[in-house]
Amino acid sequence: MRKTVLALLLLGMIGGIGWFFLEQEQDETFEQIVRARVTKHVAAQYGKETIVAVRSAYDKTASSKEARHQVAVQLNTDPRGEYQVFRLAKQQVVFIGRTRSLPERR
């Protein structure tokens, strides 16, 4: 009986660790997709030469994957040095707003 419980506990731990790493990989892949789509959208709207920086603006408080993965784009046409924040919503690039400070993703 003890061996069975120990074996089930060990399998549960291995499965949990594996699931965690698979979720992490999917999140990184989705973030790359969002970054590419937003960069393409901004380049088409403002021109590729106006993009100064593209950074992640990950929002860990959001509940859905699409809302969590946001991308901030800094343009050289903005005199205040603000970032424009975008995300995907139903496979469409949506403008969220402007910000000067970006959260750090850990």
Side-chain angles (χ1 to χ4, degrees):
M1 182 71 171
R2 279 187 168 174
K3 288 182 181 180
T4 304
V5 171
L6 186 60
L8 289 175
L9 182 64
L10 184 62
L11 285 174
M13 286 177 54
I14 291 171
I17 292 169
W19 176 79
F20 173 77
F21 283 114
L22 284 175
E23 278 295 312
Q24 191 72 17
E25 179 66 30
Q26 289 176 355
D27 276 354
E28 290 174 6
T29 303
F30 186 71
E31 186 169 338
Q32 291 173 354
I33 292 169
V34 172
R35 181 182 292 255
R37 296 275 309 270
V38 168
T39 304
K40 182 178 176 183
H41 173 77
V42 172
Q45 193 171 18
Y46 297 105
K48 191 172 185 176
E49 62 278 350
T50 62
I51 297 174
V52 175
V54 179
R55 293 184 52 198
S56 173
Y58 188 79
D59 182 12
K60 62 183 174 186
T61 61
S63 59
S64 71
K65 182 189 274 189
E66 287 183 333
R68 278 192 307 266
H69 293 282
Q70 300 175 0
V71 175
V73 179
Q74 187 177 27
L75 303 174
N76 63 4
T77 57
D78 190 1
R80 295 173 296 215
E82 292 181 331
Y83 290 92
Q84 293 184 9
V85 182
F86 298 90
R87 71 178 177 95
L88 289 183
K90 298 181 182 177
Q91 299 300 318
Q92 298 292 326
V93 177
V94 177
F95 175 72
I96 302 294
R98 294 176 178 267
T99 185
R100 288 191 182 177
S101 62
L102 297 174
E104 292 294 324
R105 182 170 182 196
R106 302 212 183 257

